[in-house]
Amino acid sequence: MTAVTSSPQAPEPNGPDSAASLASGSTAARCATASRAWAPARQAPQDRVQLRERLLPGWAPVAGWMWILPVLPVVLGAILRFWQLSRPQDIAFDETYYVKDGWALVLSGYEQQWPENADDGFSSGNVPSPTGEASFVVHPPLGKRLIGLGMMLFGPGDAFGWRFFPAVAGTAMIALVVIAALLMFRSPVVAAVAGTLLAVDGLHLTHSRLALLDIFLALFILLAFVFLLLDRVDGRLRLVKRLTDPERPPQPDPYLAGPWLGIRWWRIAAGISCGLAIGVKWNALYYVAALGLITVAWDLGARRAAGVRMWFPAGVLKDGLFAFVSMIPVAALTYLATWTGWLRTSGGYHRQWAANNPGEGVQWLPESLRSLWEYHKAAYNFHVGLDATHTYMAGPAQWPILGRPTSYFYESLQNGEGGCTASNCSQAILNVGNPVIWWSAIPVIITLLVLALVWRRWRFDWRLLSPLALVAVGWLPWFAFPERTQFFFYALPYVPFMVLLLAAGVSMLIPGPETPQVHRVLSWSVIGLWLVLVLAVAAYFWPIWSAQVISYDAWHQRMWFPSWI
């Protein structure tokens, strides 16, 4: 291997990309990730230790008790999500669709129509039977199947049953955010902050406590991201091993294009998770496209940092093509599998379309898939034509500022009714996000975007660009459909990535061991006071996130803006 002059931008063993500096995650300099992986590394490392240090800097040791910190937000989140989960026992908002669809899927394998006042039957525990006539629904069945599974376990007439798996999904997401933060920032403190923010956000909390679909959509997107983070580690370990393995057959120049890295099982797992996300709602497709590009970009960066000279064409051919095969066909097959109940039965909506229209549709498809394709066409036409006005509709420009949250449930109570001890009481579920989290995210995201694009230390930092991209694909595409009916809860899938960006901002403020004492005190004070404010505001809004009975005046005090009512 011919030695050439090393670029001054290549990662240094003891620089900001070293194991000690990254793991300590302290000052802004130490917190900077290996963004220099994108800079030309003209000199390949001479041995495995150097190459691994460049691609996967190690963790600095931390006190054992600090590993308790990331567990705490998961416990807190579970308590908040399962506490009085059956309150209210009434059907709330779009539960009117998904509870009945979920139970119909359990009973017959496909969605059916229900008799009038069926909601009252579910709320009272006297669940009626469906009519037997197929129902036209516009979302794939997986999320409703998960709701129905909870009803199988705990009974269809108990709100705890139909909300059980949403609460499980919400709690699991907190654990996944903690794992993602650990893999990205290598700090149990930063991971604990990220988990805490998701645990006490109102949008995420309300969806974890109701039988709605979006929490499952958000879960599977986040799970795919975590799988790709694990694949990033695994892929770099493989690259290190295959470039430096003395037992591999000798090659003229192993650093010309680099090796093929083999079958990437974590990436296949990510493809399965992407298919499950699409099996809940179709707008997961935006995230699937972004995740595919992100994982290939990580591979390109790894080859470049390793000193592979033809890093771009080699990365596209040896990583990108296989990434496509590992994710897109796998996701498509997984998505198709979510329709198994509809395919195996004969009574679903449009199930007999091909038999009734033998000369129409996509003729090369089997009859069952031809019918399914026509069903998808009908559902797509519904989505693109959805322009009905709704009291709580809110476009994407309103989401970051909490301009128009969605009221899922509201009931007025008089003294003595339902635990009301005031002259007038309110029981409400409003999906307003935690204002401290959402309003802090606006300047933080703008700042991190600028840093990732222009500031040398954080330029092209993958820990900033990746969640920024996923927030963007969850938010910006909705601007292209201004005439479509939209709601604030469409923002839910990108909330975990918004939280990770806030965690990145916190990691930049954490002082290092060499930071002057006055700066250490100031940094920890700012972080501590901000977290205390986050928790205090969460406690303040808890009653209207969880349908607690409070006085009308107390409810009205929490309606900070007329648009929240």
Side-chain angles (χ1 to χ4, degrees):
M1 182 167 52
T2 304
V4 294
T5 304
S6 174
S7 165
Q9 291 184 323
E12 304 167 359
N14 296 314
D17 299 334
S18 68
S21 63
L22 275 175
S24 62
S26 304
T27 62
R30 289 181 174 83
C31 166
T33 186
S35 56
R36 299 180 186 186
W38 287 94
R42 297 189 179 91
Q43 180 179 8
Q46 300 300 311
D47 57 36
R48 179 174 296 189
V49 174
Q50 290 181 358
L51 183 56
R52 176 159 179 166
E53 175 69 14
R54 177 177 289 182
L55 296 182
L56 287 169
W59 292 51
V62 296
W65 65 267
M66 294 186 69
W67 292 106
I68 300 175
L69 297 178
V71 178
L72 298 180
V74 181
V75 175
L76 172 63
I79 293 172
L80 294 178
R81 280 148 184 78
F82 282 95
W83 179 261
Q84 295 182 332
L85 183 59
S86 59
R87 178 192 293 256
Q89 174 62 28
D90 301 295
I91 295 283
F93 195 62
D94 281 353
E95 285 187 331
T96 185
Y97 305 115
Y98 307 134
V99 169
K100 291 179 287 192
D101 286 346
W103 190 235
L105 285 164
V106 169
L107 295 176
S108 61
Y110 58 89
E111 296 90 340
Q112 298 185 39
Q113 296 184 23
W114 290 82
E116 219 175 311
N117 300 322
D119 287 5
D120 295 336
F122 279 94
S123 298
S124 65
N126 300 313
V127 178
S129 298
T131 63
E133 185 176 351
S135 175
F136 173 57
V137 296
V138 294
H139 293 302
L142 180 58
K144 292 165 283 187
R145 279 199 171 275
L146 292 172
I147 292 169
L149 181 59
M151 300 167 77
M152 284 181 61
L153 295 176
F154 301 99
D158 187 347
F160 183 89
W162 66 68
R163 295 171 187 156
F164 175 75
F165 276 104
V168 170
T171 304
M173 286 184 67
I174 301 170
L176 289 172
V177 160
V178 167
I179 294 171
L182 285 172
L183 292 169
M184 295 170 71
F185 306 108
R186 308 186 181 193
S187 165
V189 175
V190 176
V193 170
T196 300
L197 295 178
L198 192 63
V200 298
D201 176 64
L203 177 59
H204 189 267
L205 180 61
T206 54
H207 271 262
S208 302
R209 294 176 57 89
L210 291 173
L212 305 176
L213 301 184
D214 298 80
I215 193 67
F216 301 116
L217 170 66
L219 168 67
F220 292 125
I221 291 170
L222 178 58
L223 181 61
F225 180 70
V226 171
F227 282 149
L228 291 180
L229 286 173
L230 294 170
D231 172 74
R232 183 181 184 275
V233 174
D234 179 60
R236 291 184 170 224
L237 288 174
R238 294 187 188 198
L239 184 60
V240 170
K241 181 178 180 180
R242 298 188 183 200
L243 282 174
T244 59
D245 189 352
E247 298 181 1
R248 288 179 65 84
Q251 302 177 42
D253 187 352
Y255 283 89
L256 177 63
W260 179 57
L261 301 182
I263 299 175
R264 308 275 286 272
W265 298 107
W266 287 117
R267 190 169 275 170
I268 292 174
I272 293 173
S273 189
C274 287
L276 296 176
I278 303 169
V280 177
K281 277 191 171 184
W282 288 349
N283 54 306
L285 288 167
Y286 294 118
Y287 292 94
V288 173
L291 289 169
L293 294 174
I294 286 170
T295 188
V296 174
W298 290 348
D299 280 348
L300 294 175
R303 290 180 181 270
R304 190 171 188 178
V308 173
R309 292 191 295 282
M310 296 180 63
W311 58 271
F312 187 83
V316 171
L317 294 175
K318 295 188 176 185
D319 298 321
L321 294 180
F322 287 97
F324 179 88
V325 173
S326 299
M327 292 186 64
I328 303 306
V330 169
L333 290 174
T334 303
Y335 172 74
L336 184 62
T338 66
W339 286 89
T340 298
W342 186 90
L343 291 168
R344 294 183 61 184
T345 56
S346 60
Y349 185 85
H350 258 23
R351 181 63 183 84
Q352 302 302 321
W353 185 91
N356 297 331
N357 301 272
E360 301 181 34
V362 185
Q363 293 297 305
W364 56 269
L365 285 176
E367 189 174 274
S368 58
L369 295 184
R370 198 149 42 100
S371 297
L372 185 61
W373 179 256
E374 290 300 321
Y375 191 167
H376 278 61
K377 285 174 61 177
Y380 174 78
N381 291 331
F382 172 87
H383 283 298
V384 297
L386 183 61
D387 58 359
T389 58
H390 191 283
T391 303
Y392 290 100
M393 60 191 298
Q398 296 176 284
W399 301 348
I401 60 174
L402 306 178
R404 184 59 168 164
T406 312
S407 175
Y408 292 147
F409 180 83
Y410 183 87
E411 185 173 358
S412 296
L413 301 172
Q414 302 298 317
N415 186 278
E417 294 179 345
C420 176
T421 58
S423 57
N424 293 286
C425 292
S426 296
Q427 187 180 20
I429 302 176
L430 185 71
N431 76 345
V432 62
N434 187 312
V436 180
I437 295 174
W438 283 79
W439 294 341
S440 298
I442 297 173
V444 168
I445 288 176
I446 293 173
T447 301
L448 295 181
L449 178 61
V450 172
L451 291 176
L453 294 178
V454 304
W455 196 266
R456 183 176 181 274
R457 183 174 299 281
W458 290 284
R459 190 177 299 157
F460 302 126
D461 184 323
W462 71 275
R463 297 189 302 180
L464 304 184
L465 288 179
S466 301
L468 280 168
L470 291 167
V471 169
V473 300
W475 182 50
L476 294 178
W478 293 104
F479 283 96
F481 308 99
E483 71 286 347
R484 191 190 188 280
T485 309
Q486 298 170 352
F487 298 92
F488 172 52
F489 58 82
Y490 290 2
L492 180 64
Y494 74 69
V495 171
F497 307 108
M498 181 181 77
V499 161
L500 288 171
L501 289 169
L502 287 169
V506 168
S507 70
M508 294 178 182
L509 295 178
I510 295 178
E514 299 176 359
T515 305
Q517 182 66 21
V518 63
H519 292 166
R520 290 171 59 84
V521 172
L522 180 61
S523 296
W524 283 117
S525 297
V526 170
I527 295 171
L529 289 174
W530 181 71
L531 287 174
V532 167
L533 186 58
V534 166
L535 294 172
V537 169
Y540 180 72
F541 281 103
W542 164 254
I544 64 169
W545 288 340
S546 58
Q548 303 299 309
V549 176
I550 56 177
S551 69
Y552 174 84
D553 290 339
W555 168 82
H556 197 265
Q557 288 170 4
R558 288 162 173 80
M559 300 298 102
W560 288 359
F561 304 98
S563 62
W564 288 12
I565 299 176

